[in-house]
Amino acid sequence: MTHPSDDDLQRAADGLVLPAGVAAHVESCPECRGTRDAHVRLSRALSAMPRMEAPPDLADAVLAAWAGEREAAVGVPAGRPAARALGAPRPLPSHDPESLRPARLLGWIVGIDVAVAALVAAAVLFAPDAVGSWTVAAVSAVLAVPALVGAGLTVVSAIGAWALVAAAAVVLVSSIGLRVTLAPVSSTP
Amino acid sequence: MAVTDQELVEHIVRGDPEAARLLVERWSGPLYNFAYRMTGSAEDARDLVQDSLLKALRHLGDYDPRWALSTWLYRIARNTHIDRRRRLRPATELDEERFAGDEAGEAGGPSGFTSPLRAALEREESELIQKALARLRDNYREIIVLYHFEALSYREIADLLDIPLGTVMNRLFRARNMLREALAELEYTP
């Protein structure tokens, strides 16, 4: 009988049943038996390779990543709920996080209002004749600013307040200039 | 009696996190061994298993129970490995030195050693086999890993790789002959 193929000898090494005639040949032929046994030794060496153990924290890492994905999918913020409960701050928006805070904006407006009031008061004090209708308009506008803030139009009120600062400054400067013009010329040597 | 994979899958799909933990703990070990033998690196194996299990959990609703879960999971790991290799190191073969270098186990490491001498011998032999494996193309290496290291049957491998049974046997026999030649070049005969 001719020698069986190498594939047949590998099948024999893997424990598959060969046709009776082929199996009998393998057992009686030193060359075929040697080849089959070499296949068996290789298989045993491969099967004896040590198994690599997964890192102990691998399962936790997978589950944590999956939990994060699920939270994100149902709309829960990706932060840590426990930390949030303990008072950790929420993440700030990425755009201009400081300048648009309502408290800070309100502070600016109050400051501007105080400045306007001071300017108007100075105008009245130094040039009572010249301020007249300007003063009335300015004070009315200043009084309107808190109403605008109350209505939520903070940006509009801020712009208005800055305009009032400019108007009051003009009134003050013009009134002081008028006073200087009207003052008697002293006789100087 | 242990909960079956199928039961775990059903519980996870219904939203049971404890079932997810059981499934991940059950399969992270076998998948890590497969991943390590395919990549030769503890770090890469860890990333590969993490990606694979995450994909599995995300798409568990698509799992077809006619297949063994093991087949499905190994297929995900295999495809993830192919994608990563294509993306990270296109057209390059594995680095043999690195492939054998992690064998001491920077992560969990190999298990089952009993004495220093035996450990040294087994480690030397396993490093040589790893080096020889690194010389094989992916499709030959994976079939050896699946058959000999993961102990999958011809049929399971055929399902996993979606190839006929005869092709599995032919490829496995060819892979073993290639491995034998590679071992001979390293002057090692089992």
Side-chain angles (χ1 to χ4, degrees):
Chain A
M1 180 183 177
T2 57
H3 296 296
S5 68
D6 186 71
D7 284 3
D8 279 339
L9 294 172
Q10 291 206 46
R11 285 190 181 89
D14 283 351
L16 298 185
V17 177
L18 298 178
V22 178
H25 172 85
V26 172
E27 292 304 324
S28 63
C29 171
E31 185 181 342
C32 290
R33 203 167 57 242
T35 304
R36 181 203 60 189
D37 290 348
H39 287 309
V40 169
R41 283 195 300 276
L42 177 62
S43 292
R44 284 182 182 160
L46 291 171
S47 300
M49 290 278 280
R51 289 193 71 78
M52 304 303 290
E53 292 182 353
D57 62 337
L58 178 56
D60 284 340
V62 172
L63 291 165
W66 189 50
E69 287 186 6
R70 292 181 73 196
E71 279 183 3
V74 296
V76 177
R80 296 176 185 167
R84 185 74 42 76
L86 291 170
R90 287 179 179 277
L92 292 169
S94 59
H95 57 86
D96 200 10
E98 292 294 328
S99 63
L100 293 181
R101 284 184 175 178
R104 180 173 288 249
L105 189 57
L106 190 59
W108 273 100
I109 292 169
V110 169
I112 290 167
D113 285 353
V114 170
V116 170
L119 286 168
V120 170
V124 170
L125 182 64
F126 289 109
D129 298 334
V131 292
S133 59
W134 278 100
T135 305
V136 173
V139 170
S140 299
V142 168
L143 291 175
V145 168
L148 289 171
V149 173
L153 300 174
T154 52
V155 174
V156 174
S157 66
I159 294 169
W162 276 111
L164 286 172
V165 170
V170 168
V171 168
L172 182 61
V173 170
S174 63
S175 65
I176 291 171
L178 184 63
R179 186 180 174 130
V180 169
T181 304
L182 295 176
V185 178
S186 59
S187 55
T188 54
Chain B
M1 185 175 144
V3 184
T4 65
D5 286 336
Q6 185 55 45
E7 288 169 333
L8 286 178
V9 169
E10 288 167 6
H11 278 82
I12 296 167
V13 170
R14 286 202 295 265
D16 180 355
E18 189 54 32
R21 169 168 292 282
L22 284 173
L23 186 116
V24 168
E25 287 177 348
R26 179 179 293 180
W27 284 102
S28 56
L31 290 176
Y32 182 82
N33 190 57
F34 169 77
Y36 179 84
R37 294 302 174 198
M38 290 301 293
T39 63
S41 153
E43 187 181 349
D44 289 349
R46 181 193 171 91
D47 290 346
L48 177 54
V49 173
Q50 187 160 340
D51 286 356
S52 303
L53 283 171
L54 267 177
K55 282 181 190 171
L57 288 169
R58 276 182 213 135
H59 300 288
L60 213 51
D62 301 333
Y63 164 65
D64 183 346
R66 287 176 300 174
W67 303 83
L69 185 70
S70 59
T71 303
W72 191 67
L73 292 175
Y74 279 119
R75 178 182 288 178
I76 291 173
R78 171 191 185 255
N79 291 340
T80 305
H81 170 63
I82 291 171
D83 289 345
R84 289 169 64 91
R85 279 206 70 189
R86 201 174 286 151
R87 195 172 65 245
L88 298 176
R89 297 200 302 164
T92 60
E93 288 304 314
L94 294 177
D95 177 352
E96 275 181 36
E97 291 305 319
R98 189 192 70 139
F99 204 79
D102 286 345
E103 193 66 25
E106 64 191 49
S111 57
F113 290 148
T114 53
S115 73
L117 178 61
R118 181 175 168 78
L121 289 171
E122 287 189 356
R123 186 174 163 190
E124 185 181 5
E125 183 178 74
S126 108
E127 284 182 2
L128 283 167
I129 290 175
Q130 279 287 90
K131 278 188 180 181
L133 274 175
R135 297 185 178 189
L136 304 189
R137 279 169 42 191
D138 262 358
N139 59 336
Y140 291 117
R141 183 166 56 250
E142 77 181 351
I143 206 161
I144 285 180
V145 170
L146 290 170
Y147 185 80
H148 288 287
F149 300 167
E150 300 308 311
L152 268 58
S153 68
Y154 294 149
R155 169 50 60 195
E156 287 171 320
I157 295 172
D159 289 343
L160 194 164
L161 301 180
D162 199 19
I163 55 178
L165 200 61
T167 306
V168 171
M169 298 169 84
N170 289 337
R171 191 178 296 175
L172 177 63
F173 300 158
R174 194 176 302 172
R176 283 199 293 229
N177 285 334
M178 290 176 174
L179 183 66
R180 188 188 312 283
E181 289 169 11
L183 285 168
E185 288 172 8
L186 295 169
E187 299 180 345
Y188 175 73
T189 306

